[in-house]
Amino acid sequence: MSLEQYHLVQLLQQQSQQRADCIALEGFELAAPWQQVSWKAFDSISHQVAKAMIKFGLQAQDTAVILSQNCPQWTCVDVGLLKARAVVVPVYPSSTQEQASFIINDAGAKVLFIDDAEQYHMACKLQAVCPSVEYLVVFDASVALLDTPNHVHFDSLIAADLSTQDEALAERLQAANLDDLLTLIYTSGTTGEPKGVMLDYRNMASTIRQHDTCLNFTPGDTSLAFLPLSHVFERSWSFFALCRGGHNVYLKDTMKIKEAIVAVRPHTLCVVPRFLEKVYSAVQDKVSKAPKARQRLFHWAMAVGTRQFEVNQGRAKPSKRLSIQWKLANKLVYSKLQAVLGGRLKFMPCGGASLDVTVVNFFHAICVPVLCGYGMTETNATVTMNTLDNRVPGSNGKPLPETQVKLGENDEIMVRGDAVMRGYYKRAEDTAATFEDGWLKTGDAGRLDEQGNLFITDRIKELMKTSNGKYIAPQRVEGKVGSCPFIEQVAIIADGRNFVSALIVPAFEALEHWAKEQNIAFDSMASLLARSEVLAHFEERLLNLQHDLAAFEQIKKFTLLTDAFTIEAGLITPTLKLRRKAINQKYGAAIDAMYTH
């Protein structure tokens, strides 16, 4: 098929015709009518949204913002805006008023879609400082709105008679083309103010066509939208899943992920390394408390699973003995672990940061395929990815079939292809600086093995250099340490210092449970973290976690923090990346103390 035949709106309309009565969208634990939305209803609702936007005065390529948690309405609005040829601007629901107003004003958005009372309250304040915003549309029908015709409930909007806009919508749909701008997605801004990444329909068409060749996703498969739709990873994946006739389930409350996975039993879900690290550490913690016989069974099963995985990948020879062992291990161990993850996962795409090899090997051993990939907002997510038949632990897989990757100066990863962004919105200089002879400069360094698999070696902008002249890749060290069940967050300190130190946010619940088992008395978290037994416990953990790091990479000193790094405090981005400069400023005294005592 030509790229023109992969226009997103056309692909979705084809599915609506072919699967009219099948469920397209489902809201986990949401009340009717948003608990389940058929393909026919999805098409009708998104048509109504498009006509409402035309009635509101949105012209082709005007912008509108969605600021909401994941829910079926999110995608209905997204697709409705696209049918009207508007440009969708997603904003993280966790954004502060300052962060949201910057994006809304930069994009010049005319309509703002929000979910609940709290977001509506912020949206009213935003409208006062964002002159371009003319309309507010609220998903939650129970929210009391101000007495103004320009504030409306979503359910009322789509129930209105909008037949007068039928002809105008038909014209918009007819005029749709691959060069239309599809979305502006603002980068996290770890190094400065956010930049609007311009992605068009050609970018999305290329991504969908390339994924078709790599993944076994079939009509009717269930995908669980757990990561925020405001992030390019989840949104692009959800588009792909829906364009292939998938059933997309939306999780609004991420704290309910355990229950959702068991109830929904997804065939796939996109994850970030932190999710997998938590699953891994929870299993390890449970095993460590099990009877010795059960521990031996678990470790035997992991060894068998690892050998069988290498056989399945064609890197080892099969044997009848191993096959028998695997069947037994599967019955006694793997099947029970798989059940915790729903029991029918075909694969889990994973991205956003580096995943420790120990963690990924665990999932491969228990027959839960984790497909680590590499990409960024500027490439509409995926550049490279592991596939079911090509999983090389530690790598991010091979480039997608129509994507070119090469290594530039300082081994910087360079990307070229139809999925690469048009540029940064209203930022010609930034755009020019990001491209070199048509190649996108990613800011990440890597290496390619003989088979063409990409390995990320470090983030060029985040490389730290000790006063001894040694370079430290902080994400590598943080990835190793982050797999500990007692560590929730960690920030490495090394730049200009003579050794590596760390600020550690403990997993408070796990630590409290451990302290009670050890009969350690404490009256507050601060007093617990000051106990010598706790410090010794973390020292021992770090020693074990860092055994395969070079001596100069290892954390020599650490400080335990009573407060987590949060978006509200300005210490992490909405994609949970560390804002290192802000962390260094806030904890400057604690950092200095580690180097003076």
Side-chain angles (χ1 to χ4, degrees), residues 87-90 102-103 106-107 181 183-189 193-199 377-378 421-428 430-431:
V87 180
V88 180
V89 185
F102 176 87
I103 293 172
D106 193 64
L181 199 57
T183 189
L184 290 177
I185 302 181
Y186 282 76
T187 56
S188 305
E193 61 185 27
K195 298 188 287 287
V197 174
M198 295 188 288
L199 297 174
T377 308
E378 288 84 345
M421 70 167 180
R422 186 184 298 183
Y424 296 114
Y425 188 59
K426 298 190 295 190
R427 289 175 178 260
D430 286 330
T431 300

Side-chain angles (χ1 to χ4, degrees), residues 366-380:
I366 68 169
C367 307
V368 175
V370 171
L371 305 182
C372 291
Y374 169 74
M376 52 201 302
T377 308
E378 288 84 345
T379 61
N380 196 27

Side-chain angles (χ1 to χ4, degrees), residues 377-449:
T377 308
E378 288 84 345
T379 61
N380 196 27
T382 318
V383 170
T384 68
M385 63 179 292
N386 281 269
T387 56
L388 289 175
D389 58 1
N390 180 60
R391 280 176 278 158
V392 181
S395 90
N396 292 90
K398 296 178 181 178
L400 294 180
E402 298 169 28
T403 300
Q404 293 175 277
V405 172
K406 71 173 184 178
L407 301 181
E409 190 177 351
N410 298 319
D411 291 329
E412 182 172 14
I413 300 162
M414 314 274 278
V415 183
R416 186 167 67 179
D418 279 336
V420 175
M421 70 167 180
R422 186 184 298 183
Y424 296 114
Y425 188 59
K426 298 190 295 190
R427 289 175 178 260
E429 288 185 12
D430 286 330
T431 300
T434 306
F435 286 90
E436 186 178 291
D437 300 327
W439 290 82
L440 175 76
K441 298 161 67 178
T442 65
D444 291 314
R447 66 177 177 86
L448 293 162
D449 68 12

